[in-house]
Amino acid sequence: MQLEDYFNILAPNDIRLKGSRIGIETILYEYIYRARTPEEIAKIYITLSLEQVYATILYYLHHQEKISNYMEDWLEWGQKMRHEQRRNPSPVVSKLMQLKAESEAI
C-alpha cells in the first residue's frame, strides 16, 4: 500500500482520510500545535485507526513544506471565519450576547 492510498485528495486544500470526513489538518493540528502523541490523537478521534494517524504524520513529514503551507492556509481561513462570525453573528448569537449584556448590567 502506498502512503497516498490513505487519503482522498479532493482539492489542493482539502485532503481527508479515506473512509472518513476528517481532514489531515485535524490530526496535524493536534500533533503539531498541541503536541499530542499519535496514540492520544487516535483516542480522541475514535473513528480513525492508529495506523491512519501515523500515516497522516508520515505524509506530513514526507511533504513538510507543502503541508506546512496547507496548515497555514487552513489556520488563516479559520481565523477569517471567526472574524466574520464576530462581525455578522447569527440571530441566536446576537440574542445571547444581548441577554448576557443585560444580565451583566444588573
Side-chain angles (χ1 to χ4, degrees), residues 56-80:
T56 303
I57 294 167
L58 185 59
Y59 185 76
Y60 162 69
L61 294 173
H62 279 230
H63 305 280
Q64 201 158 3
E65 184 177 341
K66 176 178 130 183
I67 301 303
S68 290
N69 292 336
Y70 176 100
M71 292 297 294
E72 287 174 23
D73 291 346
W74 177 73
L75 290 168
E76 184 179 314
W77 178 82
Q79 190 173 34
K80 264 193 242 181

Side-chain angles (χ1 to χ4, degrees), residues 3 22 31 36 65-66:
L3 187 56
I22 298 174
Y31 179 72
R36 295 192 195 267
E65 184 177 341
K66 176 178 130 183

Side-chain angles (χ1 to χ4, degrees), residues 15 24 40 60 65 93 96 98:
I15 303 172
I24 64 170
E40 290 171 323
Y60 162 69
E65 184 177 341
V93 172
L96 289 172
Q98 178 186 356

